Amino acid sequence: MKNHIRRTSAIAALGVAAVLSLTACAGDDSGKDTAGKGSVPPAASSQPSDPAKASPSPSGGTADKGKSQTAKPSSGSTASGGSGDSAPQGGQNVQPCKTQNLTVEAKNASPDASTGTIDITMTNRGTTTCSATGFAGIGITDQDTTTNPIERGKAEPRITDLKPGEAAIFNLSYEIDNSANSLTRPTEIQVTPPNQTSHVNVKWPAGAGNIKGFYTDVKVYPTHNK
């Protein structure tokens, strides 16, 4: 009888152990399943989602690979040497006066001993009306053979149409150096008519006073009808 009771107790103990083992396994599987279905860690946030918030370019603005900027030419340049001015033209169908159709002359027109003025006249020797509107390109050649571009004075161009035989006039203005220490020795004036690229050379007019300062102190003014 006692042996029977011991066997029954042993079987009961084995059953309890089996149940506990199954319960432990179920708990382990549940834990693993919970970990597999849990929330995924957020992705690394080192890359911004908005392109507009990208790293700034070296110039300080936001980098933009879709656009390139081109610097616009300055409209404030006043140097006139080397080319004529692209100025508004005259009447309808009036073309710019061509350099080869113009006779160019320069003369001293200083009103007094301190104000230097040189009048430059361009006469239309062509067979049709043409426009000489704007600033002529001016360079003054020094005794050392260098040619110095002359800057424009502050004045607005006016319409200057020339019929055959008519003339346009413009002037150079500067302060006269009455000492013997002038830094300039002008010999010629290089004239490029408005809206042209070729030029003619005329002699520095006799009697014109010496330039005070440098060639950058000389100013050229726009053409007008004579």
Side-chain angles (χ1 to χ4, degrees):
M1 183 69 178
K2 291 181 179 180
N3 290 336
H4 176 73
I5 292 172
R6 288 176 182 171
R7 285 197 297 269
T8 301
S9 298
I11 291 171
L14 289 173
V16 172
V19 170
L20 292 174
S21 176
L22 289 172
T23 302
C25 290
D28 291 342
D29 289 343
S30 175
K32 290 179 182 179
D33 185 63
T34 302
K37 294 182 180 180
S39 59
V40 179
S45 58
S46 59
Q47 296 296 329
S49 60
D50 186 356
K53 297 180 181 179
S55 299
S57 64
S59 62
T62 301
D64 187 355
K65 295 182 180 179
K67 296 180 181 180
S68 61
Q69 299 202 359
T70 305
K72 295 181 180 181
S74 172
S75 60
S77 175
T78 57
S80 69
S83 63
D85 180 44
S86 295
Q89 296 304 298
Q92 187 175 7
N93 298 324
V94 177
Q95 298 299 313
C97 296
K98 295 182 178 180
T99 304
Q100 61 267 30
N101 291 336
L102 295 171
T103 300
V104 182
E105 299 176 316
K107 71 174 184 178
N108 176 35
S110 298
D112 53 54
S114 61
T115 305
T117 302
I118 295 176
D119 284 347
I120 299 177
T121 303
M122 300 185 299
T123 304
N124 179 12
R125 298 303 183 190
T127 58
T128 59
T129 299
C130 62
S131 174
T133 303
F135 286 86
I138 297 295
I140 298 179
T141 302
D142 194 83
Q143 195 173 38
D144 65 3
T145 72
T146 59
T147 299
N148 305 271
I150 302 305
E151 296 184 353
R152 298 172 185 172
K154 294 181 179 180
E156 291 294 327
R158 62 182 95 168
I159 298 299
T160 308
D161 289 346
L162 303 180
K163 295 178 181 179
E166 290 185 340
I169 189 170
F170 65 93
N171 60 68
L172 308 182
S173 181
Y174 61 95
E175 187 176 352
I176 294 176
D177 187 345
N178 290 305
S179 72
N181 301 318
S182 176
L183 300 175
T184 62
R185 296 289 186 274
T187 58
E188 287 186 325
I189 304 172
Q190 186 183 92
V191 180
T192 305
N195 297 290
Q196 296 296 293
T197 56
S198 58
H199 66 268
V200 296
N201 292 325
V202 294
K203 290 184 178 181
W204 182 260
N210 292 329
I211 297 170
K212 187 173 183 179
F214 302 93
Y215 288 111
T216 51
D217 296 310
V218 181
K219 297 293 183 287
V220 58
Y221 290 91
T223 61
H224 57 87
N225 290 98
K226 188 174 180 180

